[in-house]
Amino acid sequence: MSEALEIARATLAGETAWLVGGAVRDQLLGRDTDDVDLALPGDPKRCAKAIARASGGTAFQLSGAFGAWRVVGPEHAWHIDLVTLRDDDIVADLAARDFTINAMAEPLAGGELVDPHGGRADLERRLVRMVSERALEEDPLRSLRAVRIAVELGLEIDPPTGAAAARHAAGIAAVANERVFGELKRVVSADAVRRGLAAMEAYGLTQVVLPELTALHGIEQSRFHHLDVHDHTLEVLDAVALLQRDPAAAGLDDAVRTLLAEPLSDELTRGEALRWAALLHDAAKPDTRGEYQGRVTFMGHDVAGAQLARDVLGRLKSSQRLRDYVAAVTLHHLDAGFLVHERPLDRRIVWRYLRATQPYSADTTIFTVADRLATRGDNSGPAIEAHLEVARELLAAAREEDAAGPPKPLVRGDELIKEAGVPAGKQLGTILAQLEEDRYAGEIVTREDALARARELAR
């Protein structure tokens, strides 16, 4: 039994309350859940406050229109949603729910399963089936939710439900973008993400929630690519997923898996956030496609793509950190590839790469490997090996810098003004940056070296 369910049962002992929705479904599947839904007669505020007091959690109202309350446990370890029972009748309440596998209930204190729509049988059949099409009419986001549930639980969507999802897909445009992102990010994070994206496209959902992906169909690339931009994007997504679970299979070490498992933002790990970079890194290619001397080009798609990524994630109401992260990776996703032609890399080249890509140097480098693995046109074998050589070196440098932290400057800016005659202003910042590079390159070591170099630069 989950902690959330234990707390709810202990706190609301003696109350009339029904365990409903996903928590019932997950119990039948043998899955633990930290997300519990309760339906109660009357206003759930009192019960929410009681659970919060008993657990040390926080209670707050979710929706004034429907009277829903949420209790979030300490350190966000779990949450319990409490809603008013429709018409004080559990059968009427379940009839208004989205899918049969979510339209089951049992008394919170324990008792017989209430399953008027055959949810248990559908679970055994591994099927997502709507209770009624009216549910999708009332909330079109349920069309996307059907896909999310199917990919997370390894279920199939029954054909009439899929057809209804397609009929109501356009209605998602009127749904709050925060809610759309809540479902979409779970599809993108799922192990079966490719199956989820295929279902979204089949039902017309992608065109509504992520039209930038649909726009990549049929955008042909140069001879160094074996796929159009859309299918290349999906192969980059596959490569990111591979790096999350088995980086050795892609030629990198296991420290990559540890890094990509770290939390980043929006309830996403770094690896899950890199999946968004995969989806958006080439999204500006349709607008930048051109030809030069008979060769297809996409000049500036990195810069334009970074802004487009910000715009897309801004539309979806993601956090600023996620926007910054995906935009930074998109902006610099070509940089490591250019360095293949600079081998062997000297320390100045590495330094400039690290400065350009900070604070996400390691993440960006890992992403370039995914992008390179998904580019298998002419000369792809040697190109991939050369890229991996560069990427390993850049990753080692990024890790070394992250572990050491920022070094104490050999000399401060005010000291340069006093002792080296460097004027305050833009030149001072330029010289300080150059001294950092020179130090990384091993050309200056002491404070006296730094002052002498500064005097030289200031002439």
Side-chain angles (χ1 to χ4, degrees), residues 230-435:
H230 179 271
D231 290 351
H232 166 74
T233 292
L234 296 186
E235 288 215 355
V236 177
L237 180 65
D238 286 341
V240 170
L242 174 64
L243 287 163
Q244 286 180 270
R245 67 178 182 270
D246 187 10
L252 298 180
D253 60 42
D254 206 54
V256 167
R257 176 163 44 194
T258 302
L259 177 69
L260 296 185
E262 291 179 1
L264 181 82
S265 184
D266 299 79
E267 300 177 318
L268 300 175
T269 65
R270 288 177 180 268
E272 290 162 351
L274 274 192
R275 293 185 179 204
W276 283 90
L279 291 175
L280 297 172
H281 78 288
D282 278 349
K285 279 190 170 180
D287 292 333
T288 58
R289 190 180 189 278
E291 290 192 16
Y292 178 71
Q293 296 182 347
R295 179 178 172 180
V296 175
T297 65
F298 299 98
M299 300 296 291
H301 81 275
D302 48 351
V303 176
Q307 184 57 56
L308 184 56
R310 286 189 184 277
D311 293 343
V312 170
L313 291 169
R315 181 183 75 224
L316 292 171
K317 307 299 182 184
S318 82
S319 70
Q320 188 62 51
R321 188 175 188 202
L322 183 62
R323 297 178 213 180
D324 290 345
Y325 181 90
V326 174
V329 172
T330 299
L331 180 63
H332 296 291
H333 77 275
L334 301 176
D335 293 12
F338 293 146
L339 299 186
V340 167
H341 307 292
E342 301 289 338
R343 291 175 296 161
L345 304 183
D346 67 37
R347 285 183 66 82
R348 288 189 183 277
I349 290 174
V350 173
W351 174 257
R352 291 166 191 166
Y353 176 85
L354 295 177
R355 297 287 67 72
T357 56
Q358 67 178 354
Y360 303 122
S361 300
D363 308 66
T364 302
T365 305
I366 292 165
F367 181 79
T368 71
V369 172
D371 194 22
R372 179 66 261 185
L373 291 173
T375 306
R376 300 192 307 279
D378 289 359
N379 196 45
S380 61
I384 289 171
E385 286 306 313
H387 191 101
L388 281 168
E389 177 187 325
V390 168
R392 292 186 195 107
E393 185 172 348
L394 296 174
L395 268 176
R399 290 169 181 164
E400 179 183 353
E401 186 170 85
D402 288 343
K408 182 180 178 182
L410 293 173
V411 61
R412 301 191 310 268
D414 61 323
E415 293 172 329
L416 290 182
I417 293 170
K418 286 181 181 179
E419 301 180 47
V422 179
K426 184 177 180 181
Q427 186 184 21
L428 176 62
T430 301
I431 289 176
L432 283 168
Q434 186 62 54
L435 292 179

Side-chain angles (χ1 to χ4, degrees), residues 133-169:
E133 187 164 345
R134 184 179 65 184
L136 277 65
E137 293 171 358
E138 292 175 349
D139 185 0
L141 185 63
R142 287 167 167 167
S143 294
L144 181 57
R145 187 175 300 151
V147 175
R148 187 263 293 172
I149 291 171
V151 298
E152 285 188 335
L153 300 181
L155 310 180
E156 298 293 331
I157 299 172
D158 88 311
T161 301
R167 283 193 292 273
H168 299 288

